[in-house]
Amino acid sequence: MAAAEHGQVERETRAPGDEEEEEMESEGEGPGDGSSEGTAQSSSDEEDDKENEAEIQRLEEQLSINAFDYNCHVDLIKLLRQEGELERLRRARQKMSELFPLTEEIWLDWLKDEMKIAEEDSNREKVYELFQRAVKDYICPEIWLEYAQYSIGGMGEEGGIAKVRSVFESALTAVGLHMTKGSTVWDAYREFENAILGTLQPSPGSVPSAEQQQMLNAQLGKIHALFKRQLGVPLLDMDSTYAEYEEWSEEPIPETVVQNYKKTLKQVEKYKPYEEALLAAETPKLVEYQAYIDFELKEGDPARIQLIFERALAENCLVPDLWARYTKYLDRQLKVKDLVLSAHDRAARNCPWTVGLWKSYILAMERHCVDHNIVTENFEKALNAGFIQATDYVEIWQAYLDYLRRRVDFTKDSSKELEELRAAFVRALDYLKQEVEERFSESGDPTCTIIQNWARIEASHCNNIQKARELWDSIMTKGNSKFANMWLEYYNLERAHGDIQHCRKALHRAVQCTTDYPEHVCDVLLTFERLEGSLEEWDTAVLKTENRLSRVNEQRAKAAEKQAVLARQEEEKAEQRKKSRAEKKVAKKGKKAKPGDKRKAEDEDEEDEEWGEEAPEQPKKKHKGEDEKAEENETEEMEMETGLFGRSAPKKAQAPAKPTTSIVKDQPRVLHDANKENLTVFVSNLPFSMSDPEKELRKVFSDCGEISQVRVVYSSNGTFRGYCYVEFVEEKSTLDALKLDRQQIRGRPMFVSPCVDKNKNPDFKVFKYSTALEKHKLFISGLPYSSTKEELEDIFKEHGTIKEIRVVTNRSGKPKGLAYVEYENEAQASQAVLKLDGTKIKEHVIKVAISNPPRRKQTEFPETTRPGTPMVPRQAYGARGKGRTQVALLPRSLHRQNAPNATKTENGTPQTQSASSTGAEGEPKKMSNADFARMLLQK
């Protein structure tokens, strides 16, 4: 009976195309088909086999070096499947599945290959186990249907029908709520039960026995139940299901079912806009999924929330933030062990470069009491995941050390867990020093937070203050003894767990060694002695602090005096240069030339000497009626130099009187109109060979809008200086013109920047690109100079959607072997780093890293704190290199404060602009170095 049922159900539930496939296979069989062609192509096949084998060996060798190369795994699997290397293919798939969740395509290919082998071996259990693994990676209705179809093939075995029903029920739990694809699983389940019903129907003319009638009624009840369940789930195309139920059922549909169906239809209308948005959107549809998730979270149905997260992750598996949001929901709401741990595991395997996911995974394993060996094993995987910053390794080590600390019972003097914790601290420090520092040129832990935590544990939990002191001694020998906050951390530890003598000793050493905030440390020492010390100890502390602060003030005074001397030297040089220029101008006037030409050359030469490339707007036209005094005053007002302290340049040297007898003004000078700065752009780095710059530039900027005028700057001998000013009629034309920055003009990149008066906004800097960490952008170095943007796009587009590629060139337009590639998100960029760093392009080994330019060196001195003021914590090092703390040698009264909301420039436009940078009334007057020196001497 079971065998007959199996044969009939398998035929009735077979997929529509299976018979055609079998016919095609049978038509292709024959004793001599293709034999002649095979003989003719045997030599070429052998060559192909050799090439494929060589490629397979190369891919295997590459994976032995970098096991996280996803594309390499995929290519290897394709080649092995093509060659028919089943055992090697199985091993390759197994290795890939251990590192990454597999896609639907890879799983289906693997399952089909294993099903063929299982037919020969009659071993279906291995395939069942493989299906169980496949459905855990991503939500995939197609794999569930394949799973159910394969289980139907085993109905003839003992418990076969129960196995099929179990698979279908699991499929409904996983994807039955899927509005667009869930109905296929429901329909397949009903078809299976209908096929079972067909085997129970009595033959025509016969009367079923009581037992047969009972089995028949039970099977009818199962199908009725499936219809009712499906009609209670909001799915698309529910009308057809309801019509099918009406046609199938011999009895009227119960009123409760009808009411439930109508209620479900109303739910469908709520979900329909989100489903339609998904259908209309292009992959990966992240924005649409995010909106859908927000909606489901408000509705609060856990099953539907889980489903929409899984659907979103199936198409956005490389978005760490989405995984973090999903795992956070599971941790705080559902708290189901298997579900939580599975999601965390898949998150870490999909985005192994994201340290936050690994940290959450360790916490989840601890919450659900996972075996310690498994936690340690996953931590080791995290260390090999290839994080993109040194600080990421510090974070994962700290998370693991926290986990180990919570395992220790500190009521015991010694335990296995305590020794393991101490060994882990030692290993962490060695790992950061050797592995991390070798890769990133920094340990990622400049403030020694791991050693500090170790010292606190030894002092507070283990009552081993001597070990804590040894650890702090190692911290101070790493270059931290000059920082006040480090000494105060140690002092607080001694205050809480040590003794008075060591507290006093620590503060005395701090007064002697601290260079960043000596006043603060001195104040702490005096406060300590006021509470704990004797009169003799108080006198010693006062004497020591006075001597220390006296030396500090002397050093600051010497530094300020040195700065003043340098400033005077710079002023003298500037005076000499201006005097020399004035003498040259006088000498030129003695030569015979037309008066108009003399004046024009003189004025334009003065312009070129006074303005830099990114200076504010400077007209070239000159109007009649303006005297030379007005011209001189304007030039003197607009000129500016910036030094260490943002000083203004000294007044211009008085040039010898100009002879007026031979001067004839060609055109009066156009005064700078600050009201038109928003209508003007500064264009530089233009080719000097441009014969008619105004004409060519009008053509270049014609698409931006109506041009009011183009002011070209020439040198004194009439040659083009390579820069000019373009003024538009409308402000929006200026914004369009800025987009043409770096456009090639005769092989040179044209620089287009806003026209800004630097006297009024001295901190304004024109730099189009961000100088901060950008996790979605890559920095590539070591490129061949011949590399083009198109070649880079072909290489990098395989790892994600590229938004922009910028090849770095010098001012002449020649490539520098550097480039930036911007992806849509940080997940794609991280994948590209893992796969392309260290690869070759035209025999050049390239380096690929996340864009994080080092900070420009600044000569600012940190402001010291007065006793009793809060201390500013020391900044940690960035991802590229160590910063250096500068000693504050400038008195507070002379130190220029930074604006609290300093403007940042991006894409050539300031994001914010404070009143201090606009030249508003009440702005403090800018001071020169000579002014600073006079103030210091008066002190």
Side-chain angles (χ1 to χ4, degrees), residues 292-412:
Y292 206 163
I293 290 171
D294 293 338
F295 171 76
E296 291 289 9
L297 287 172
K298 290 179 181 178
E299 292 293 311
D301 186 345
R304 293 196 61 85
I305 293 172
Q306 180 189 353
L307 176 68
I308 192 58
F309 266 118
E310 291 288 354
R311 288 177 62 184
L313 289 167
E315 297 191 57
N316 298 274
C317 60
L318 299 180
V319 180
D321 291 342
L322 190 58
W323 281 109
R325 190 179 182 188
Y326 182 36
T327 54
K328 184 177 179 180
Y329 170 78
L330 295 177
D331 286 333
R332 297 183 178 181
Q333 301 297 327
L334 296 188
K335 302 180 182 180
V336 179
K337 179 179 179 180
D338 293 339
L339 184 60
V340 169
L341 295 180
S342 172
H344 278 287
D345 178 67
R346 290 185 292 137
R349 287 164 61 205
N350 271 288
C351 307
W353 63 89
T354 307
V355 67
L357 297 178
W358 287 105
K359 289 166 60 179
S360 300
Y361 193 10
I362 291 175
L363 290 172
M365 288 187 287
E366 184 180 1
R367 289 191 195 100
H368 294 281
C369 303
V370 176
D371 184 73
H372 173 60
N373 294 330
I374 297 178
V375 178
T376 302
E377 180 182 344
N378 282 291
F379 167 71
E380 295 296 337
K381 289 181 181 179
L383 288 181
N384 297 322
F387 298 131
I388 59 178
Q389 295 185 91
T391 52
D392 291 345
Y393 288 94
V394 178
E395 290 185 34
I396 193 63
W397 267 111
Q398 193 59 64
Y400 183 60
L401 292 169
D402 291 344
Y403 158 73
L404 293 178
R405 196 268 304 165
R406 289 190 285 266
R407 296 181 68 244
V408 179
D409 183 3
F410 289 104
T411 58
K412 301 178 181 178

Side-chain angles (χ1 to χ4, degrees), residues 241-259:
T241 304
Y242 184 78
E244 183 181 349
Y245 188 22
E246 284 184 316
E247 181 180 354
W248 179 85
S249 178
E250 296 178 354
E251 301 175 356
I253 299 177
E255 184 62 26
T256 56
V257 177
V258 175
Q259 294 298 327

Side-chain angles (χ1 to χ4, degrees), residues 661-729:
T661 55
S662 61
I663 297 297
V664 178
K665 293 185 179 180
D666 183 19
Q667 296 182 43
R669 185 187 187 91
V670 177
L671 295 178
H672 175 72
D673 188 355
N675 296 325
K676 292 187 178 181
E677 286 180 353
N678 60 329
L679 303 175
T680 309
V681 293
F682 177 71
V683 185
S684 60
N685 201 45
L686 296 169
F688 298 133
S689 59
M690 296 177 70
S691 58
D692 190 350
E694 180 176 355
K695 181 179 179 181
E696 292 191 38
L697 290 175
R698 282 186 177 274
K699 184 177 180 181
V700 170
F701 290 97
S702 60
D703 294 336
C704 300
E706 184 180 353
I707 298 174
S708 175
Q709 60 176 325
V710 178
R711 298 191 291 277
V712 183
V713 180
Y714 293 94
S715 64
S716 57
N717 58 6
T719 58
F720 178 45
R721 296 286 292 175
Y723 60 93
C724 65
Y725 300 86
V726 180
E727 181 182 321
F728 294 92
V729 175

